[in-house]
Amino acid sequence: MDIDLITNILYAMVRTGTPLLIVALGEMVCEKSGVLNLGQEGMMLMGAVIGFIATLTTGSLLLGFILAILSGVVMSMLFAGIALGLNANQVATGLALTIFGTGLSAFIGADFVGQPIEGLNPYSIPFLSEIPLIGKMLFAQDLIVYLSFGLFAAIYWFFKSSRAGLTVKAVGENPHAANVIGLPVMRTRYLAVAFGGAMAGLAGGYLSLAYTPLWTENMTAGRGWIALALVVFATWRAERIILGAYLFGLASILNLVAQGLGYPVSPNILAMMPYAATVMVLVMLSSNVVKSKMHTPMWLGKPFHPGG
Amino acid sequence: MIKLVPRGEQSRAMAYMSPVLAGLLTLFTGGIFFAALGLDPLHALGVFLIAPVSDIYGIAELCVKAAPIMLCAVGLAVAFKAQVWNIGAEGQLLMGGLVGSAVALQFGEAEGFWILPTVLISGMIGGGLWGLLAAWLKTRFNANEILTTIMFNYIALYLLLYFVHGSLKDPDGYGFPESALFSDAATLPILIEDTRIHIGILFALFACVSIWVLMQRSFIGFQIKVLGADANAAKLAGFRHKHLVWIAMVISAALAGLAGASEVTGPIGQLIPSISPGYGYAAIIVAFLGRLHPIGILFASILMALIYMGGELAQIELNLPLAVTALFQGMLLFYLLACDVLINFRIRLRTAAANNAVTGN
């Protein structure tokens, strides 16, 4: 394998891992507040379709990304209204959000399938992008990839050393205790869910506006679910999420690697790899029951009703 | 301002009313939605819900679609009762279809009454093993079954594509990714002539009865219910937790596998890439809508089959995208979950005066 190929694989790995990173960071914040939202896939699809339609009709990528984020937030509030406001089962409500988002995105996007747009182009940072091997990977990406680096740093800092981060953790560990000491449990949870929605919307927009500038039905292809698994592997820690996201990016571009090495493998078998890798890593990291219990937010997925 | 007041104990009446209310709200929202698209809402709802079943062929088609949904959902109800979140009915259905097809094709043109049962049982085993894999990962490695079963759905789909593009492809099929048509000996008999209704609907009804007996009348069913209601109580009573998780998973997965095998040997008659339009996912909604009870699931499956047919007809007659089906499915589940709040809570409208009274001002 020559160095150009490795450089390109590293570049594609980060690019492919970026939507996973963004959506998984959002879900991590949401889960830290004790809310399990399984609707990531549906929110991503809505972000992808709304962002795509906005950009196609107005020609503005910025507007596309803003509307993608907003549609993720709106979807997440639908979840929050039912799961938090009406105390419904979070697992079922999240599934409903994914089913609804899959249907709604396919419905409104039906007339836009296959239409081309001018997607977001990479922007090479002078000099830095010339560094051998890692230059292209880190400094010749598009703006959303750079934004995802920033988001990672911000969320790492948020939980490491901010007061608000502590509040989110307290609410997720024990909402009753948090309520007693006067923390705004419900408001924190709504905000955390909204942030998760915004990230999912952005990740969806990244797919349809930058990664493959197209809209096709179900184009997220399970990335929302993989991101949910990623949060579990990462044991709710941002630094492990970024590693995991890029590993999955690598698993998704194995076809590139296989081609480079001259191995003919069935495209269907290659397409299976990210999902199989998800199961394998999930198994490896969950098998230590004590350790995985220790890191899981105590109140994850359990409803909290302030009145009772 | 709306306030939720806990009821103290669950309202049985609301548990039954909530699905009905959710159905009505879905209809109402559907009407508004059609009106917003510039369609006459009553006409559109008629096309969606009444026109598909206005003749005997339509009613037969309704049974054809309800059968796999019912098989998957009644199985999922067992898993959900045990608090085993099997989201993998879709993949288990696909594996049932894949394994069933592989076996059916082995027999070629051979004849014999035993061929069809062998094919169907292979499908059940294929689906069942696919589910057991997730159960094993859950009980042995503590891997979250929601995530593993969803991943297995994707893996099953790609496995099916791999085989239908590869070794199971019909060599005389002009390169289409389809298997050869199954022989008559490997095809489910038709119940009513000139329709597609086949004995798969009887499997589904039989499954509903069997699961009812299992859950209401057997010790296993009792143990599963206790496990789901209170895992600690089940532990104290000495029930074998892992054992029960395996049983719940294998029952639901084998029924989904049977649904897949019945689809390929029934209305489809060969292995194709798209053997399910998401029946396994729709079954999750049906299981909740039917309150995890076989009789409720029977009715909910018929409603869900009707939504599938309505979506197809709306595509032809109203020129709407087929995705309108999934849209209605998602809406129905949302409304159900929202209405279920009434089982545990009363809704009080609080006026400013009442507010003051509460706070003592």
Side-chain angles (χ1 to χ4, degrees):
Chain A
M1 231 194 301
D2 63 78
I3 189 148
D4 275 354
L5 180 67
I6 298 174
T7 309
N8 282 330
I9 286 171
L10 288 174
Y11 168 79
M13 172 185 89
V14 167
R15 217 173 123 71
T16 312
T18 293
L20 282 175
L21 171 64
I22 295 174
V23 65
L25 284 173
E27 175 64 16
M28 185 187 93
V29 172
C30 183
E31 288 189 15
K32 281 269 195 190
S33 81
V35 184
L36 179 67
N37 182 358
L38 297 183
Q40 307 302 323
E41 186 81 2
M43 298 193 292
M44 279 180 88
L45 280 165
M46 283 301 288
V49 75
I50 297 285
F52 183 82
I53 295 173
T55 299
L56 185 75
T57 47
T58 65
S60 161
L61 276 167
L62 180 66
L63 198 66
F65 277 112
I66 290 172
L67 285 178
I69 292 170
L70 280 179
S71 53
V73 174
V74 170
M75 290 290 281
S76 72
M77 285 300 103
L78 196 57
F79 167 84
I82 297 172
L84 303 182
L86 300 179
N87 260 29
N89 179 312
Q90 291 177 11
V91 171
T93 312
L95 284 172
L97 188 67
T98 285
I99 295 172
F100 181 71
T102 309
L104 186 59
S105 64
F107 186 85
I108 56 186
D111 293 339
F112 299 91
V113 174
Q115 292 199 38
I117 56 163
E118 177 70 36
L120 185 66
N121 288 316
Y123 172 79
S124 295
I125 298 169
F127 306 115
L128 289 176
S129 57
E130 311 284 318
I131 302 171
L133 276 180
I134 58 161
K136 192 170 177 192
M137 163 172 105
L138 295 176
F139 304 111
Q141 299 279 6
D142 56 57
L143 289 175
I144 303 294
V145 176
Y146 301 139
L147 177 67
S148 74
F149 297 157
L151 281 167
F152 159 73
I155 287 167
Y156 181 83
W157 170 83
F158 180 77
F159 284 116
K160 196 98 186 162
S161 30
S162 86
R163 202 183 154 77
L166 211 59
T167 303
V168 172
K169 277 193 276 191
V171 166
E173 287 298 330
N174 191 340
H176 294 283
N179 192 36
V180 168
I181 60 169
L183 294 175
V185 174
M186 291 315 262
R187 194 175 50 186
T188 306
R189 290 194 157 182
Y190 274 102
L191 284 173
V193 172
F195 181 76
M199 291 293 101
L202 174 63
Y206 183 74
L207 288 176
S208 68
L209 297 175
Y211 189 72
T212 47
L214 275 180
W215 162 254
T216 47
E217 223 175 274
N218 264 324
M219 67 183 296
T220 49
R223 286 183 179 85
W225 295 112
I226 292 180
L228 277 155
L230 202 54
V231 177
V232 180
F233 317 152
T235 53
W236 292 267
R237 276 178 283 184
E239 65 276 21
R240 286 182 167 213
I241 283 186
I242 198 168
L243 269 177
Y246 294 152
L247 271 176
F248 278 85
L250 192 63
S252 314
I253 54 153
L254 277 179
N255 57 342
L256 198 74
V257 184
Q259 272 167 24
L261 296 171
Y263 291 122
V265 188
S266 152
N268 289 313
I269 297 296
L270 285 171
M272 214 183 279
M273 287 304 146
Y275 310 107
T278 305
V279 174
M280 280 191 284
V281 183
L282 197 60
V283 165
M284 287 192 309
L285 292 176
S286 319
S287 50
N288 189 334
V289 178
V290 179
K291 211 170 158 192
S292 63
K293 275 233 173 78
M294 197 169 76
H295 290 289
T296 314
M298 288 278 287
W299 224 260
L300 184 60
K302 293 179 198 152
F304 168 74
H305 181 65
Chain B
M1 157 111 203
I2 296 173
K3 187 173 159 42
L4 298 177
V5 183
R7 282 185 195 270
E9 67 180 292
Q10 299 197 332
S11 156
R12 277 183 78 86
M14 276 326 294
Y16 294 120
M17 275 312 290
S18 163
V20 177
L21 201 57
L24 292 175
L25 283 167
T26 305
L27 272 188
F28 183 70
T29 317
I32 295 176
F33 167 78
F34 286 132
L37 292 171
L39 301 164
D40 172 9
L42 286 182
H43 171 68
L45 285 175
V47 168
F48 204 82
L49 295 173
I50 298 167
V53 286
S54 56
D55 56 14
I56 186 78
Y57 182 82
I59 292 169
E61 259 327 86
L62 189 72
C63 296
V64 171
K65 290 205 162 51
I69 300 173
M70 211 185 296
L71 277 170
C72 291
V74 79
L76 287 182
V78 176
F80 292 169
K81 279 258 183 199
Q83 296 276 345
V84 173
W85 290 97
N86 177 12
I87 313 297
E90 182 76 4
Q92 292 145 13
L93 182 152
L94 295 178
M95 288 308 280
L98 175 61
V99 174
S101 298
V103 172
L105 291 167
Q106 292 308 312
F107 288 118
E109 291 300 314
E111 284 181 29
F113 69 93
W114 44 271
I115 291 183
L116 191 57
T118 311
V119 170
L120 294 172
I121 290 168
S122 316
M124 286 181 87
I125 293 174
L129 288 177
W130 204 238
L132 265 189
L133 193 55
W136 178 63
L137 296 178
K138 177 183 169 66
T139 53
R140 172 73 180 78
F141 298 102
N142 187 36
N144 180 314
E145 77 275 18
I146 299 177
L147 297 172
T148 53
T149 51
I150 283 170
M151 293 303 134
F152 285 143
N153 286 346
Y154 286 97
I155 296 173
L157 177 64
Y158 284 112
L159 269 179
L160 187 145
L161 289 175
Y162 174 73
F163 283 107
V164 83
H165 280 102
S167 52
L168 295 181
K169 189 160 83 176
D170 183 5
D172 307 322
Y174 305 102
F176 286 109
E178 291 174 357
S179 77
L181 284 170
F182 299 163
S183 68
D184 284 349
T187 307
L188 289 179
I190 295 283
L191 284 179
I192 304 173
E193 252 181 79
D194 297 325
T195 68
R196 298 201 305 160
I197 188 170
H198 55 82
I199 58 167
I201 187 71
L202 302 183
F203 300 158
L205 295 173
F206 182 69
C208 281
V209 175
S210 314
I211 296 295
W212 185 85
V213 172
L214 176 85
M215 295 307 284
Q216 304 298 333
R217 295 280 179 270
S218 79
F219 186 50
I220 291 276
F222 173 73
Q223 286 177 305
I224 285 177
K225 282 191 283 191
V226 173
L227 173 69
D230 188 343
N232 285 327
K235 204 173 181 180
L236 282 175
F239 299 165
R240 289 154 72 190
H241 175 256
K242 289 183 179 182
H243 207 73
L244 290 173
V245 170
W246 281 54
I247 290 174
M249 189 63 113
V250 84
I251 289 173
S252 64
L255 287 176
L258 176 62
S262 308
E263 283 303 284
V264 290
T265 54
I268 305 174
Q270 65 186 135
L271 183 66
I272 56 171
S274 54
I275 60 178
S276 159
Y279 288 146
Y281 295 108
I284 298 169
I285 302 174
V286 167
F288 284 118
L289 201 62
R291 305 269 81 137
L292 306 185
H293 189 284
I295 295 173
I297 286 171
L298 179 78
F299 287 113
S301 307
I302 293 170
L303 176 64
M304 191 57 70
L306 186 58
I307 292 178
Y308 268 109
M309 292 178 70
E312 284 171 13
L313 202 60
Q315 187 184 24
I316 300 164
E317 296 223 337
L318 305 173
N319 216 0
L320 292 176
L322 192 57
V324 72
T325 303
L327 196 56
F328 270 73
Q329 290 175 350
M331 206 152 64
L332 189 59
L333 184 51
F334 266 139
Y335 274 126
L336 179 74
L337 293 165
C339 291
D340 276 355
V341 71
L342 296 172
I343 298 172
N344 288 312
F345 294 91
R346 255 179 259 281
I347 288 189
R348 287 270 163 75
L349 289 176
R350 256 200 325 197
T351 58
N355 250 341
N356 289 342
V358 169
T359 51
N361 290 329

